Structures are given as C-alpha cells and as structure tokens.
Amino acid sequence: MKYDVLQVIGMVLVGIAGQGAIRLLVDHGDTGLLGRLGGGFPVLLAGQLAVTAAGVLLAGWSHTRAKALGRRK
C-alpha cells in the first residue's frame, strides 16, 4: 500500500512540476508554485525540472519496489 501512495505522489509531482516548467518556458513571468524562490528564470526553471525529475524517480522506484513484491505485473 505504501508503494502505491508513493507512486501516486510521484505522478502528481511530475504532473504539477512538468506543467509548471512548460508554462514557465512559454511565459517567463508566470512563476507558478516556486515563484518565491527568487533568482529569476534560470533558477525557477531548474527548480521545476528538479521537482519533475524527483517525481519521475520516486514513481519509478516505488513501481519497481511494488513489482518486486508481486503487486505489479
């Protein structure tokens, strides 16, 4: 069960941060959730991409762990 929850959290992170990164690329002024970081466009884009990568890694890791336990095919 915990790997299912972690996988969902990872997918949500990918969805939100991925959309934020694309939105930031299209409109540099739309800072989104990480707007309080400061540092301008490069820092915000790096932050969005880092959160997206963390979500991908979390979802992939939890899927692999659930598969090893026989919960996935």
Side-chain angles (χ1 to χ4, degrees):
M1 179 71 178
K2 85 174 168 181
Y3 295 118
D4 299 331
V5 172
L6 289 174
Q7 188 173 4
V8 169
I9 291 171
M11 290 185 296
V12 168
L13 284 175
V14 169
I16 291 174
Q19 179 187 12
I22 292 170
R23 184 174 292 184
L24 185 63
L25 285 172
V26 172
D27 180 12
H28 297 303
D30 189 3
T31 58
L33 295 174
L34 297 179
R36 294 185 178 145
L37 281 180
F41 174 74
V43 173
L44 292 174
L45 184 60
Q48 293 282 5
L49 294 177
V51 173
T52 303
V56 167
L57 291 174
L58 179 63
W61 175 80
S62 60
H63 177 76
T64 303
R65 295 294 300 162
K67 193 173 184 180
L69 293 174
R71 295 185 56 111
R72 304 279 189 276
K73 293 183 179 185

